[in-house]
Amino acid sequence: MNMITFDDTNRLLYVSLKHQDSFANSKTESIEVDEGIFIEKTENGEIVGIQILDGPKSEYIVGAMKDFIDIPKKINKKLDSSI
């Protein structure tokens, strides 16, 4: 199961792209791809997670995800009000 974890207090974000059991026996490493943004990959190069340690970047991503999830609600409201 994929999972998104956001720590409100410290403004940290972790996005798991694979279920932990699927790579539990693999060695993983974190690689910084941008300031405060890391990918977690297995020894065979498979990316299994993304970690954002930069507070403003984390909040931006979480806000964008919330806006994306709210899109269907906004569309339905617009359709209902036009009828």
Side-chain angles (χ1 to χ4, degrees), residues 8-75:
D8 285 332
T9 305
N10 298 307
R11 301 174 1 188
L12 307 174
L13 175 67
Y14 183 79
V15 179
S16 174
L17 303 174
K18 293 196 69 135
H19 193 281
Q20 295 287 59
D21 291 344
S22 68
F23 63 95
N25 296 325
S26 299
K27 187 175 184 179
T28 62
E29 68 175 312
S30 290
I31 299 170
E32 189 168 18
V33 294
D34 193 19
E35 188 175 327
I37 300 176
F38 296 81
I39 59 167
E40 183 179 10
K41 69 174 198 145
T42 63
E43 54 196 343
N44 66 358
E46 182 178 23
I47 297 173
V48 294
I50 301 168
Q51 185 175 28
I52 302 178
L53 303 178
D54 180 277
K57 290 177 184 175
S58 293
E59 289 176 342
Y60 176 81
I61 297 295
V62 169
M65 286 189 282
K66 286 180 180 178
D67 287 346
F68 178 77
I69 290 169
D70 286 342
I71 287 173
K73 294 176 190 170
K74 291 176 185 175
I75 290 172

